[in-house]
Amino acid sequence: MSTAADVPEDHGGPIALGPGRPESSVVGMVLFLFTEAMIFAALVSAFLVLQARAPVWPPPGQPRLPVGVTGASTLLLLFSGFTMLRADAAARAGGAAAVWLRVTAALGVVFLVMQGSEWARLLAFGLTGESGVYAATFYTLVGVHAAHVVAALAVLLVYLRRAGRRGGAVAGADAWSGLRACTMYWVFVVAVWPVLYVLLYQPWKV
């Protein structure tokens, strides 16, 4: 029999979930992220195999990847992971999560804009998908990650809209568990990028 302490508040206050009660959205996200991790692992493995078989990597005649600018965008994306965690904590405590969600979304947009501008420059310099295996693997890995950032931003905007209707708070256990799943996805996307940055851009060669 449920008691009052087991019932989560649904008015913007602190959210108290019952002990031992798994949240379906969080469990589903764990399974989804496992699948996503396998996808990235497969792509990275293919990249490493191609790199190992190449006599020289990067191949001669290819434009140098923008290590400095992409390094700056990497720091912005890493900071967005912190702001997303702050949004999750604010929602958990019944506070105004919208501020942190807006900062996170803004950082994600800036990251995509910076990446897009660098892709445009690389394409202008002749690094296209038809340039060979080097360019194809680069655009595949970076493009798949960018698609994940776009998807995470779309979900983030949904929660921003909900929070805007409630004075900046994400109210209710269901809403919070959904935001927790979104946070897990965002942090996953953020964590994957530094690995790709080191593999693809090889900043130690600058």
Side-chain angles (χ1 to χ4, degrees):
M1 181 174 180
S2 298
T3 63
D6 295 325
V7 179
E9 298 181 25
D10 195 21
H11 50 72
I15 300 170
L17 299 176
R21 183 183 301 171
E23 301 135 13
S24 58
S25 58
V26 173
V27 173
M29 181 55 66
V30 170
L31 297 175
F32 175 72
L33 291 182
F34 177 78
T35 303
E36 294 294 287
M38 294 301 99
I39 292 174
F40 277 105
L43 291 173
V44 169
S45 297
F47 170 83
L48 292 174
V49 169
L50 292 171
Q51 183 183 41
R53 291 179 177 178
V56 180
W57 194 273
Q62 300 292 342
R64 185 74 173 99
L65 298 180
V67 175
V69 174
T70 307
S73 66
T74 298
L75 292 177
L76 290 178
L77 189 64
L78 288 173
F79 186 64
S80 76
F82 167 76
T83 58
M84 190 66 198
L85 290 172
R86 291 294 302 165
D88 180 76
R92 178 77 171 183
V99 174
W100 292 108
L101 290 174
R102 290 191 187 99
V103 174
T104 303
L107 290 170
V109 169
V110 172
F111 173 80
L112 288 175
V113 170
M114 292 179 70
Q115 287 294 94
S117 64
E118 291 306 315
W119 297 349
R121 291 181 60 188
L122 289 171
L123 289 170
F125 287 144
L127 187 67
T128 67
E130 300 175 353
S131 301
V133 174
Y134 174 69
T137 53
F138 170 77
Y139 285 117
T140 298
L141 283 165
V142 176
V144 169
H145 181 266
H148 282 72
V149 177
V150 171
L153 275 173
V155 177
L156 208 60
L157 292 177
V158 171
Y159 280 94
L160 264 174
R161 187 176 180 181
R162 290 183 182 180
R165 292 174 178 174
R166 296 177 179 268
V170 179
D174 290 340
W176 176 81
S177 63
L179 181 59
R180 169 53 61 91
C182 178
T183 301
M184 293 168 62
Y185 184 57
W186 189 276
V187 170
F188 171 80
V189 171
V190 169
V192 166
W193 178 248
V195 177
L196 299 182
Y197 174 69
V198 170
L199 286 175
L200 296 171
Y201 290 81
Q202 300 180 351
W204 61 87
K205 291 187 177 181
V206 175

